Amino acid sequence: MNRAIALLALAVLAVITTFSTLFTVHQTQQVLITQFGEPIRVIREPGLHAKLPFIQSVIAFDRRLLDYDAPGEEVILGDQRRLIVDSFTRYRITDPLQFFQTVRGTEGGIRARLNSIVSSALRRVLGTEPLDAVLSQDRARIMGEIRDQVNEEARRFGIEVLDVRIRRADLPEENTQAILSRMQTERQRVASEQRAEGQGESLRIRANADRERTVLLAEAQAQADILRGQGEQEAIRIFAEAFQRDPAFFQFWRTMQAYREAFGDGSTRLVLTPESEFFRYFRESPAGGRPPPAGVAPAASGAPGPAPGPAANGG
């Protein structure tokens, strides 16, 4: 019975010793072996490894990319403007031994160191840059300078800083309204300039249109006057030919035109003597006809003849 208990105890001790001796390194880890708190060796190769049981300890460090989010802080830029910057840092542990010796291998220790380093680098670099550069395409160059400075100082802690970025950059609340008012004033100035240029262009276009309209109207009026003169000339020629063919008829026709113009509306009053030349055709043709044209003899009795017309002497 005692022998069985002893064998069982030895088996348990062997198992405990085995588990205390053997350990596994994952491919995402790197291991530091310490003996009584002092670092002995670093293991980076994944797989099964051994150590001295009970007197040596295993401290694992992540070999993947780690991140640190820095709290927002106020930074004075190169143009003396204030900016609240919220940044984050991506880093990797490259030397577990140095990392353990400088920050005791704790996440809190490296975060405190990174906070100080990143804050100092942000103030140094952004302190020489204006706000326009921080908010423009130069931001990538600025962040590259900050990353290089942070990486240079962080190497002594056994880490490599791969990237530093500004997640958010806000103006302080007390400066926001002033900057918004200044931006609004600037936009109003630009809008006024654009509006003035538009009005000037509108006046120029209107002036050109009025000038072209005046020229077109003048040319059209000149052409109309020419055509009107030609028409009047043709009318005078036709009237002249008609007058030459039958002066008495022409005189009669013009007198009828005068009657129509004078008595057409029925409201014209004339103060003339009955012997006036204007009523000559009323006296010579009481029946409403006109005397026969000049050179035409009256028709024979019982035969049709030409309509009465003015006398041959034009009277």
Side-chain angles (χ1 to χ4, degrees):
M1 183 68 179
N2 293 334
R3 182 181 178 85
I5 294 175
L7 290 176
L8 181 60
L10 288 176
V12 171
L13 181 61
V15 171
I16 294 175
T17 302
T18 301
F19 275 102
S20 178
T21 302
L22 300 178
F23 63 94
T24 303
V25 177
H26 195 267
Q27 59 184 358
T28 62
Q29 293 178 333
Q30 49 191 340
V31 171
L32 176 65
I33 305 298
T34 62
Q35 183 173 326
F36 301 114
E38 295 295 328
I40 301 300
R41 60 193 174 99
V42 176
I43 301 176
R44 292 188 173 89
E45 295 79 13
L48 185 64
H49 297 270
K51 65 180 180 61
L52 295 178
F54 308 116
I55 63 174
Q56 291 184 348
S57 301
V58 176
I59 302 176
F61 300 99
D62 202 329
R63 65 190 305 171
R64 293 174 296 182
L65 191 64
L66 306 175
D67 65 295
Y68 164 66
D69 296 333
E73 58 180 327
E74 186 173 307
V75 178
I76 300 177
L77 302 179
D79 53 3
Q80 301 305 312
R81 297 183 180 180
R82 297 179 181 272
L83 200 65
I84 298 178
V85 178
D86 186 6
S87 64
F88 66 90
T89 304
R90 297 289 183 265
Y91 67 96
R92 179 184 289 116
I93 299 174
T94 56
D95 191 342
L97 177 59
Q98 189 176 6
F99 183 76
F100 176 78
Q101 291 174 341
T102 53
V103 297
R104 303 306 298 174
T106 62
E107 185 178 352
I110 191 59
R111 286 179 177 272
R113 301 299 178 88
L114 279 177
N115 183 43
S116 176
I117 295 173
V118 172
S119 177
S120 299
L122 284 173
R123 294 180 183 277
R124 283 195 302 270
V125 176
L126 295 181
T128 61
E129 300 290 342
L131 179 61
D132 294 340
V134 177
L135 302 180
S136 66
Q137 296 180 353
D138 290 340
R139 187 166 178 170
R141 174 186 59 80
I142 295 173
M143 299 314 301
E145 295 180 5
I146 296 175
R147 179 200 60 211
D148 294 341
Q149 293 188 15
V150 172
N151 185 44
E152 186 66 26
E153 296 185 23
R155 286 178 180 175
R156 56 192 176 96
F157 300 111
I159 64 174
E160 178 186 7
V161 175
L162 301 178
D163 196 11
V164 178
R165 295 286 178 178
I166 294 178
R167 178 187 292 110
R168 186 176 179 183
D170 294 330
L171 296 170
E173 186 63 28
E174 59 272 14
N175 296 341
T176 302
Q177 294 301 324
I179 293 178
L180 289 178
S181 299
R182 185 163 59 249
M183 293 173 63
Q184 183 178 5
T185 302
E186 178 65 18
R187 293 297 93 192
Q188 289 177 350
R189 183 187 64 80
V190 174
S192 298
E193 291 180 357
Q194 295 291 336
R195 192 177 294 109
E197 292 178 359
Q199 291 178 353
E201 186 67 15
S202 174
L203 293 176
R204 185 185 65 81
I205 294 175
R206 290 176 182 273
N208 291 336
D210 290 341
R211 179 178 57 81
E212 293 178 0
R213 173 179 174 273
T214 302
V215 172
L216 290 175
L217 289 177
E219 293 177 352
Q221 185 64 35
Q223 186 67 19
D225 291 340
I226 293 174
L227 295 176
R228 189 179 296 109
Q230 293 176 353
E232 291 177 354
Q233 180 181 1
E234 184 66 17
I236 292 172
R237 185 187 64 78
I238 294 173
F239 278 121
E241 290 181 357
F243 181 76
Q244 294 297 328
R245 291 181 181 179
D246 193 349
F249 174 76
F250 181 76
Q251 187 176 6
F252 171 77
W253 182 79
R254 292 300 298 269
T255 302
M256 293 299 105
Q257 291 292 110
Y259 289 161
R260 184 173 65 182
E261 295 293 334
F263 307 114
D265 55 359
S267 62
T268 304
R269 293 184 180 182
L270 298 177
V271 181
L272 299 171
T273 62
E275 292 79 12
S276 174
E277 185 68 19
F278 187 68
F279 299 109
R280 180 181 59 178
Y281 289 102
F282 287 99
R283 295 193 306 269
E284 296 179 356
S285 181
R290 66 179 181 89
V296 179
S301 177
N313 56 4

